[in-house]
Amino acid sequence: MNADESDLDRHVVAVVEGVGVILDKLKAYGAIAAALVLAVLLAAQSVRLHTEQLAHEKLKTQVAQDATQRADAALKNETKVGLKEFGHAAATQENSDAFTTSQPVRDAIARADAARHVRLLDGAEKRAATYRAMAEAGAAACRDLADRHAALDRHVVEGVNVVSALRRDLVRRDAEVALLRRQIDIERALME
């Protein structure tokens, strides 16, 4: 049995050594397989990271383009508003200047009406004196007639004075209405 035991021991040693070699090979293959799995996982993670970096860069570009577009739109709007305000200021100044420039004409009309009133008043006083002289020279009927003529002349002179005052007010009002109408048009142009 000694020989059988020694064969058995050799077989057992051979089996144990074979199992050891197999286990060493399995460990080596396992390490290779683990390395391959890790390499595949690393490659997948690298692809995902690269994809995220590209998406991030695209987002940054889009945000920058949006900011540029908003800035351009704001600049265009500011320019448009500035041009409207400049036009509004110029039109307002022109309207005011036209009203101010027309003031001497209105003043000249008022002075001419006042001078006419003074002339008519002087003429009425002279005619009244003439009528009184006629009345003193004539009878009582002439005195009554002279008084009526004098009263009529006073009414005519006062009527001319009222008409010139109304005319002066009407000319001023027309100028103010024209000024306000032009100003309304100017304001509407600004709002458009």
Side-chain angles (χ1 to χ4, degrees):
M1 281 224 189
N2 250 344
D4 284 334
E5 271 183 28
S6 130
D7 273 340
L8 185 62
D9 284 341
R10 274 187 284 154
H11 283 298
V12 170
V13 169
V15 169
V16 168
E17 285 178 359
V19 169
V21 169
I22 291 173
L23 287 178
D24 285 341
K25 285 188 179 185
L26 282 178
K27 283 183 192 177
Y29 290 140
I32 291 172
L36 286 175
V37 167
L38 287 176
V40 168
L41 289 175
L42 179 63
Q45 187 63 25
S46 294
V47 168
R48 283 184 56 209
L49 177 62
H50 182 70
T51 303
E52 287 298 320
Q53 286 174 339
L54 290 176
H56 184 69
E57 287 300 318
K58 185 177 178 183
L59 179 63
K60 283 175 31 180
T61 303
Q62 183 64 38
V63 167
Q65 287 174 347
D66 289 347
T68 301
Q69 288 173 350
R70 283 193 306 274
D72 288 344
L75 180 63
K76 285 179 185 176
N77 187 41
E78 187 67 27
T79 301
K80 182 180 176 182
V81 168
L83 289 174
K84 277 188 172 185
E85 287 175 353
F86 178 76
H88 176 262
T92 299
Q93 184 63 41
E94 183 180 312
N95 193 28
S96 176
D97 289 347
F99 181 75
T100 304
T101 303
S102 67
Q103 184 63 41
V105 173
R106 291 191 305 276
D107 291 344
I109 291 170
R111 282 191 304 273
D113 286 342
R116 181 174 173 211
H117 177 256
V118 169
R119 274 194 324 274
L120 288 174
L121 188 60
D122 287 344
E125 289 173 3
K126 289 176 185 175
R127 284 189 300 279
T130 302
Y131 298 148
R132 277 191 299 278
M134 287 172 48
E136 289 173 7
C142 286
R143 194 180 340 263
D144 186 45
L145 184 60
D147 288 340
R148 287 184 185 185
H149 281 298
L152 182 61
D153 273 347
R154 281 192 306 274
H155 288 303
V156 168
V157 169
E158 285 304 313
V160 167
N161 190 34
V162 168
V163 167
S164 69
L166 290 174
R167 179 179 174 190
R168 183 175 55 247
D169 291 342
L170 182 62
V171 167
R172 182 182 45 78
R173 185 201 53 95
D174 285 347
E176 289 172 354
V177 167
L179 168 74
L180 292 173
R181 178 61 194 170
R182 285 190 300 270
Q183 192 61 38
I184 287 170
D185 292 341
I186 290 167
E187 296 298 327
R188 283 184 179 161
L190 176 64
M191 300 306 284
E192 292 176 352

